[in-house]
Structure formats: structure tokens, C-alpha cells
Amino acid sequence: MTALADPLADAFWATSLRRWNTVCWALFGAMAVGLVTAAPSGGSKYKALALLGCVVLCYAVLDRFPGNPVVRPQVYLSVLVLALGGLAYLGSSYAALFMVTLPHYWMFGRTPRTSMGFLGAATGVTLTGALVRQGWSAEFFGETLVSTLIVVAVGVLIGLWAHSVVAQSSERARLIEELERTEAQLSEAHQRQGAADERERIARDIHDTLAQGFASIIVLAEAARAGMSDDPVRSARQLWSIESTARENLAEARELVGSARQPGPGRAAAGTVAQTLRRTLDRFAEDTGLAVDADLADLECDQRTRIALLRCTQESLANVRKHARASTVGVVLVRRPYGVELEITDDGSGFVAGESTGFGLDGMRKRLAELGGRLTVTSSVGDGTRILAMIPPASEVEA
């Protein structure tokens, strides 16, 4: 049998053919027995048996060896059409063979056009053979013509219905396969996006914690080495700060490793958000010697908000340490009707806010955006910098 472009249709007709085989072979046998026992002796009987034998032989070869290069489906249908015409002319069991093989036109034709073509040819040669034998008689019109057209009409309707069912099933199968493929692509895209978001989160946490700690250690180590001979007491304090910072970085590293195993926000230090920020500001003032003016309201807020406020403070102070050349830093934490505000100002050299492309400010914006907040940066060269972080209440974010 020829292969189809549609696997579902091919499977349907292959299954139909297997089911019809048993019935078909039984009917072929019955027809042969009928010709042998009932047909009158003579040349017509043997000619009819020869025609039936040709049909059965071609069908057997096609059934047992579907890939053979000689008896292809259209060859079998052509032999069947000629045999029907010959049997109709001989008047020997052509009607029985017509009905037995009627499904073969749809099974082997595979397309409606091919099936209808062979079925029309079979109908034409059958009626022609009967007409030559019977002539324009009442028997031809009353029995042969009417019965043949009725059988053909029923066969056409059943065949077209089967093709319609197969076509609809094929379309549904195609749509289902396309839907499954689209879902798989979306799932893969979501996984890639999730992995990218997780990498960005880890990079942001490393930048806000470990990288800032290492930068602080470097500055303190350089200062301690420079003043070791002139001011050993100050150098000792700086070495103690280096040790403390290194321990904090170690704890942060362990926390990042733990959050990688179980995704989620890192933990801030114990205590209220004001206490957490106060410890960070005290360490900053001790390490840099800058004056820090802090007005921190004792607020209660959720863990994610505490972490965001702490990271924004750490990043802002790191920028002051590295770039601002400031002498005073101001920090204000207050609750407004629309959320929590954290304002960090310095009297340093400032910068052009619109031209800033640093990872730190971008990371703060994204961290706040995840909580529905926003970051406002106000600065100009020579006029210091103002960082304003706003985070709405958690209930508003969830809503």
C-alpha cells in the first residue's frame, strides 16, 4: 500500500483493511465455491474462475507483500475493474464481487478523487458488460442498472463519510500536536526565563553583599598598612574592622549558598529594620570616618521589605565610599501613607544621574520594582546626591 502524508489516515485505512481481510477472504472463497458448484459447465465458467483468480492473486500479493514493486494499489484496482467488467459480461457473480470489493476502492485509493475515479470506472465497465449481455431490456434497467447504482451510491456516501471523519481526526491530531509543541516551547521559555531571573538575583545579591564587603576590606587594608607605623592604634581598629567584615562576608556567602539550594530572599540580620540599618551605618562611619546623620523610625515591615531597604542602604553607602568624596551622609527612614520611604543623601561631588550606567543603581531599581516600589535618584555635579527608595505596603503589592 502506498504511504500517506497523513499518518492518522494511513493508520485508519490500515486498521480497516486488516479487519476486512477475514471477511474478504471468506467471501472470495464463497464466490469461488459458488462458481464451481452453481455455474453451468463450459468456457464461461472457467473464464469467470480465471477472472476471480486474477483478482484474488493480486489482492493476496498486495496484502502479504505491500511493498512489492509490481502489484501496487492502483494496479490491483485496475485488475479489479477489468474483472468486474468481464464477470458482468459473462453474468457470473459480478454483483457479489462488486459488493465484496466495494471498500477496497477507499482503502487503496486513499484520496476521494482516486477512489471515486476507480469506483466510477468499475461502475461503467460493469454496466457496459451487463448491457452487452442483456441489451436494453427490462431486466437490465429493472435489476442490473438500479441495483448497481444503489450499491454504488451507498458505497460513495460511506466512503466520503469515512474520509471526512479521518480528515477531522487528522486536523484535531494536528492541532493537539501543535498545542503540545507550543506548550513545550512555552515551558522551556519559562524555564530559561526563570534561570535567567535566578542568575540575576544571585548576581545582584553578590554585588550588594560580598562585592561591597571585599571593597571595604581592600580600603581598610590599604589604610591599615599605610598607618601601621604612625598610628598603630588606628591600624588595630582597622584590622578589627577587616576581620569583622570578612566574617560578615563569610556569613553572607553561606546565606547565598543556602538560598541557591532553596530559592527565596536572603535573611537580614535580626531586629527591626531600624536596628539593622543602624548597625550598617555605625560600621560605615567607623570604617570611613564620615559623619552620619540618621533619623530612623522604628518600623515594622515584612522580611522582603527589610532586605530591600538594607540592600539599598548598603549600595548607596558603597557608592558614597567609592565615588562621592563626601564628608556627611544623611539617612532618613519614615513611613508615609503610601508606603515606606528611605532617603540617603550626601554632600559629595555628585554626578549626572541620567548618564549613570552602573550595576548598583540598576540592581536597586529592579529589587524595588519586584516589591512594587521605585527608586528616585537626584544628583548633579558638585551638589551631592539624593537617593529616595519607596516601597508600598505589602497588601498593596499582593493586590
Side-chain angles (χ1 to χ4, degrees):
M1 292 177 287
T2 56
L4 285 179
D6 190 338
L8 183 61
D10 190 46
F12 173 82
W13 294 119
T15 302
S16 299
L17 183 58
R18 285 194 301 269
R19 292 174 177 174
W20 185 249
N21 271 344
T22 303
V23 177
C24 193
W25 284 115
L27 294 176
F28 279 152
M31 289 173 59
V33 172
L35 285 174
V36 171
T37 58
S41 299
S44 297
K45 175 179 181 178
Y46 298 111
K47 290 177 182 178
L49 285 172
L51 291 173
L52 179 61
C54 290
V55 172
V56 172
L57 178 61
C58 290
Y59 181 72
V61 172
L62 187 61
D63 179 46
R64 300 301 179 184
F65 308 100
N68 77 89
V70 179
V71 182
R72 307 302 298 159
Q74 293 189 356
V75 172
Y76 165 70
L77 293 178
S78 299
V79 171
L80 179 60
V81 168
L82 295 176
L84 284 171
L87 289 173
Y89 173 74
L90 297 173
S92 302
S93 302
Y94 72 92
L97 181 63
F98 201 117
M99 289 185 288
V100 168
T101 58
L102 191 59
H104 289 180
Y105 298 100
W106 303 99
M107 293 177 183
F108 294 110
R110 301 301 182 84
T111 64
R113 177 177 296 181
T114 302
S115 301
M116 292 287 290
F118 277 105
L119 185 56
T123 304
V125 299
T126 300
L127 293 177
T128 300
L131 179 62
V132 171
R133 179 174 57 84
Q134 296 174 336
W136 299 99
S137 62
E139 180 185 1
F140 172 76
F141 285 103
E143 297 180 4
T144 305
L145 179 63
V146 173
S147 59
T148 300
L149 292 179
I150 291 176
V151 170
V152 171
V154 172
V156 168
L157 292 177
I158 294 176
L160 292 177
W161 172 81
H163 268 286
S164 175
V165 170
V166 172
Q168 292 176 4
S169 300
S170 301
E171 179 66 15
R172 283 196 297 269
R174 186 189 64 81
L175 293 175
I176 291 173
E177 182 181 358
E178 183 177 345
L179 178 61
E180 291 175 347
R181 185 167 58 251
T182 302
E183 289 178 347
Q185 292 173 350
L186 287 175
S187 177
E188 184 179 353
H190 286 317
Q191 290 177 356
R192 289 198 301 266
Q193 184 61 43
D197 292 343
E198 183 64 13
R199 287 195 297 269
E200 182 178 351
R201 183 191 69 81
I202 293 175
R204 190 169 59 221
D205 286 342
I206 290 175
H207 177 274
D208 292 347
T209 56
L210 300 183
Q212 306 298 354
F214 289 137
S216 177
I217 288 174
I218 292 172
V219 172
L220 290 171
E222 291 174 347
R225 184 178 59 207
M228 191 167 292
S229 58
D230 299 333
D231 191 351
V233 176
R234 178 177 176 79
S235 296
R237 288 199 303 269
Q238 290 170 335
L239 289 174
W240 179 85
S241 295
I242 290 174
E243 180 183 352
S244 299
T245 303
R247 291 182 183 279
E248 291 174 0
N249 265 24
L250 179 60
E252 291 284 1
R254 288 171 175 168
E255 179 62 29
L256 288 175
V257 171
S259 65
R261 293 196 186 103
Q262 186 175 1
R267 292 193 299 254
T272 65
V273 64
Q275 293 171 337
T276 303
L277 297 184
R278 175 65 66 182
R279 286 193 293 267
T280 302
L281 295 174
D282 290 344
R283 173 60 60 81
F284 173 80
E286 182 179 350
D287 292 345
T288 62
L290 299 182
V292 177
D293 182 13
D295 181 9
L296 306 176
D298 192 10
L299 305 178
E300 291 293 335
C301 54
D302 61 277
Q303 182 77 341
R304 296 182 66 194
T305 300
R306 289 181 60 206
I307 293 171
L309 294 172
L310 174 61
R311 300 306 184 216
C312 288
T313 302
Q314 290 172 330
E315 175 62 26
S316 299
L317 295 179
N319 288 336
V320 172
R321 184 200 299 267
K322 290 185 290 186
H323 308 297
R325 297 190 296 275
S327 59
T328 303
V329 176
V331 181
V332 177
L333 176 67
V334 64
R335 184 181 296 279
R336 303 292 188 188
Y338 46 81
V340 176
E341 279 190 354
L342 173 66
E343 182 185 49
I344 303 174
T345 58
D346 68 75
D347 59 355
S349 57
F351 63 98
V352 180
E355 298 178 358
S356 174
T357 58
F359 183 84
L361 290 178
D362 186 59
M364 281 195 286
R365 289 191 180 94
K366 290 181 179 179
R367 189 184 293 277
L368 294 173
E370 291 175 357
L371 300 176
R374 65 178 182 272
L375 181 75
T376 304
V377 180
T378 306
S379 182
S380 59
V381 178
D383 291 334
T385 301
R386 174 177 179 264
I387 304 292
L388 180 63
M390 191 283 295
I391 301 177
S395 59
E396 294 184 9
V397 177
E398 294 172 356

